Amino acid sequence: MSDGLRKTAITPATHTEPPAKFSHGVRKGDILQVAGQVGFLPAAEGQAPAPAGPTLREQTLQTLANVRTVLQEGGASWEDVVMVRVYLTDTGHFAEFNRIYDAYFADLEGPPSARTTVYVGLPAGLLVEIDALAVLG
């Protein structure tokens, strides 16, 4: 199998090992799938992951930074992302999330990615999770 078709796990140094058998990102050829990321601050040796803060804004910005880190580690950028999936814990957060998301991507070149937003349960204290699909090349 050529190197371009080999499946490669992506785990940035800033991320802790996942709590189950999955990778933070997987690249195969020109496809990079970023697993659902949450608003945890960068990993600190010997410490449990901690959210960036209690607010939707703090967690959303950190979550987007965590997705970006996996993208970069896999050789991609936001410009390569074709699909974003957003998981919110509260339907009341939708409008605020959109304002934060729109401001974050205000300077992005080209058309925006497709996006789906759903409402889910996340571990206590977490308000948002985001995953992304990038196509390189």
Side-chain angles (χ1 to χ4, degrees):
M1 184 178 296
S2 73
D3 284 348
L5 296 179
R6 183 182 47 165
K7 187 166 77 169
T8 305
I10 309 295
T11 303
T14 56
H15 287 52
T16 59
E17 282 298 315
K21 189 172 176 73
F22 66 88
S23 301
H24 286 288
V26 173
R27 180 165 177 182
K28 185 169 184 178
D30 291 338
I31 305 292
L32 172 61
Q33 175 66 56
V34 178
Q37 301 293 302
V38 295
F40 285 147
L41 293 166
E45 183 87 23
Q47 294 182 1
T55 69
L56 180 65
R57 179 173 184 73
E58 290 167 312
Q59 289 190 27
T60 298
L61 293 175
Q62 185 63 52
T63 300
L64 290 165
N66 292 342
V67 172
R68 185 183 66 237
T69 298
V70 178
L71 287 168
Q72 291 171 337
E73 188 84 12
S77 70
W78 284 114
E79 284 79 16
D80 300 307
V81 173
V82 296
M83 181 65 187
V84 173
R85 284 171 292 271
V86 177
Y87 309 90
L88 296 173
T89 59
D90 185 337
T91 59
H93 288 160
F94 187 72
E96 180 184 359
F97 177 84
N98 281 339
R99 287 190 295 276
I100 298 163
Y101 187 89
D102 288 351
Y104 183 87
F105 289 110
D107 297 328
L108 185 68
E109 296 291 323
S113 303
R115 190 182 106 188
T116 298
T117 303
V118 297
Y119 301 97
V120 299
L122 292 172
L126 295 176
L127 305 173
V128 60
E129 181 173 350
I130 299 173
D131 70 58
L133 176 65
V135 179
L136 295 82

